[in-house]
Amino acid sequence: MDTNVQKKRESKKSLRIKVISLGNAEVGKSCIIKRYCEKRFVPKYLATIGIDYGVTKVQVRDREIKVNIFDMAGHPFFYEVRNEFYKDSQGVILVYDVGLRESFDALDSWLTEMKQEMGSQANMESIIFVVCANKVDLTKRRVVDESEGRLWAESRGFQYFETSAQSGEGISEMFQAFFSSITDMCENGGKRPNPEVSIGFTKEQADTIRRIRNSKDSWDMLGVKPGATREEVNKAYRKLAVLLHPDKCVAPGSEDAFKAVVNARTSLLKNIK
Ligand code: GTP
Ligand code: MG
């Protein structure tokens, strides 16, 4: 065969990508990578100092993918070291610990840090994100449930996985889906699919469910001022009911949010003359 043709075919088949791990210190980023690459788990905490770098090869369909993994330190102390490594990533593994709410709440600020550091190069549409709800083996200390994590991830077009670096649950599924999505994106001109088309619910629905979960009382849940009239309560209720009715809304947690709204309305109306 003509050597040029052969070279061309080989270069179509092989692909080089860069992926990074992000999330608070001690959530299990390094252990997830170690579980996948070395098939083992280290119970002792060894904080990543700045950054760890590794290379692995994976097969996706007929392509060989060379993966450069940059495992970031989560501790704020290493910000200066970390910030240089955001650029040119095709994939990001976002990790939180299901037993630590602050590590889940911090995901937004990790995205902000990344956007800031990428500067004018920031094109988040050309990056595949996966979210790992890690340490699911520690069921007794779990405080962030699946629907809450899934909602945060899927409303942004990110895939969500429940993982345990300790038991291995979800790890190979996550990496397989991650590398295959990156390959799809590279083959499709570097754009990931529109999340609303693929997930079937809107950002407004996702944001409303999150707001309802975090509301401090029934007034707040319905989005009306304390002391509102029956009409105001009913109007707010109807708007939320249309948005979240289980027949219409498939977002994770929508059923619970809908029930909470019904209960909030009932309890408010009881006390309004
Ligand atoms: P930094 O490098 O400091 O950012 O932390 P990291 O996110 O890389 O955390 P690391 O992987 O070092 O894990 C932190 C601690 O959590 C270690 O003691 C691990 O053994 C433990 N750990 C990680 N994943 C799991 C898990 O899935 N289950 C349990 N039970 N422990 C885990
Ligand atoms: Mg680490």
Side-chain angles (χ1 to χ4, degrees):
M1 196 195 300
D2 182 326
T3 50
N4 277 340
V5 174
Q6 199 169 351
K7 264 190 195 157
K8 224 175 177 179
R9 281 200 184 156
E10 275 164 11
S11 73
K12 193 198 169 281
K13 279 192 177 171
S14 63
L15 187 68
R16 262 167 179 271
I17 59 169
K18 172 184 171 182
V19 304
I20 60 175
S21 65
L22 286 187
N24 278 9
E26 231 174 307
V27 293
K29 300 179 294 298
S30 303
C31 286
I32 287 173
I33 294 166
K34 198 165 268 149
R35 164 62 75 185
Y36 178 71
C37 295
E38 298 173 25
K39 312 268 177 286
R40 65 192 182 100
F41 174 70
V42 185
K44 193 168 174 275
Y45 175 43
L46 295 162
T48 303
I49 307 297
I51 205 124
D52 271 343
Y53 170 69
V55 188
T56 187
K57 276 185 185 163
V58 293
Q59 188 77 25
V60 177
R61 299 184 292 274
D62 63 337
R63 295 189 87 143
E64 183 172 89
I65 320 281
K66 188 174 174 196
V67 189
N68 294 289
I69 306 179
F70 292 79
D71 176 26
M72 308 275 218
H75 199 282
F77 181 76
F78 295 112
Y79 166 71
E80 296 289 342
V81 187
R82 229 176 20 232
N83 60 8
E84 299 193 9
F85 290 91
Y86 284 114
K87 290 190 175 114
D88 305 318
S89 309
Q90 279 86 31
V92 177
I93 306 171
L94 280 167
V95 184
Y96 68 93
D97 174 346
V98 295
L100 290 173
R101 177 159 290 278
E102 60 269 28
S103 72
F104 175 63
D105 292 339
L107 294 180
D108 277 314
S109 47
W110 283 104
L111 289 180
T112 307
E113 179 176 307
M114 178 171 181
K115 268 187 219 164
Q116 249 164 22
E117 296 313 319
M118 286 167 57
S120 57
Q121 234 203 23
N123 182 3
M124 307 294 262
E125 295 312 305
S126 299
I127 301 169
I128 298 290
F129 290 85
V130 285
V131 176
C132 293
N134 194 41
K135 307 199 189 182
V136 292
D137 56 288
L138 300 172
T139 47
K140 282 199 188 125
R141 62 186 275 282
R142 184 162 189 165
V143 292
V144 185
D145 69 19
E146 179 179 349
S147 67
E148 200 174 351
R150 191 178 281 285
L151 181 71
W152 186 91
E154 294 183 352
S155 62
R156 287 164 176 76
F158 305 166
Q159 288 187 71
Y160 170 88
F161 293 88
E162 301 248 300
T163 60
S164 166
Q166 193 244 38
S167 71
E169 180 182 339
I171 303 288
S172 57
E173 292 86 340
M174 180 276 290
F175 276 103
Q176 242 161 35
F178 185 47
F179 295 140
S180 139
S181 300
I182 294 174
T183 310
D184 287 346
M185 183 185 71
C186 293
E187 287 175 354
N188 291 317
K191 254 200 161 275
R192 65 182 152 97
N194 178 354
E196 281 183 22
V197 173
S198 54
I199 61 176
F201 60 87
T202 63
K203 183 152 190 313
E204 187 190 6
Q205 287 172 322
D207 289 345
T208 306
I209 294 168
R210 201 168 313 115
R211 192 188 61 69
I212 288 168
R213 279 173 181 274
N214 296 332
S215 55
K216 54 182 191 297
D217 55 31
S218 299
W219 303 108
D220 191 30
M221 186 176 289
L222 289 187
V224 293
K225 286 199 193 99
T229 63
R230 292 183 81 84
E231 287 69 37
E232 284 167 333
V233 167
N234 278 326
K235 194 175 162 203
Y237 164 77
R238 276 196 297 275
K239 203 172 152 214
L240 289 170
V242 168
L243 193 67
L244 300 176
H245 195 282
D247 287 350
K248 302 230 176 64
C249 183
V250 296
S254 57
E255 248 183 82
D256 287 344
F258 181 73
K259 277 185 211 151
V261 167
V262 172
N263 292 339
R265 176 203 184 213
T266 311
S267 80
L268 288 180
L269 289 184
K270 255 191 222 156
N271 299 311
I272 303 174
K273 290 191 193 90

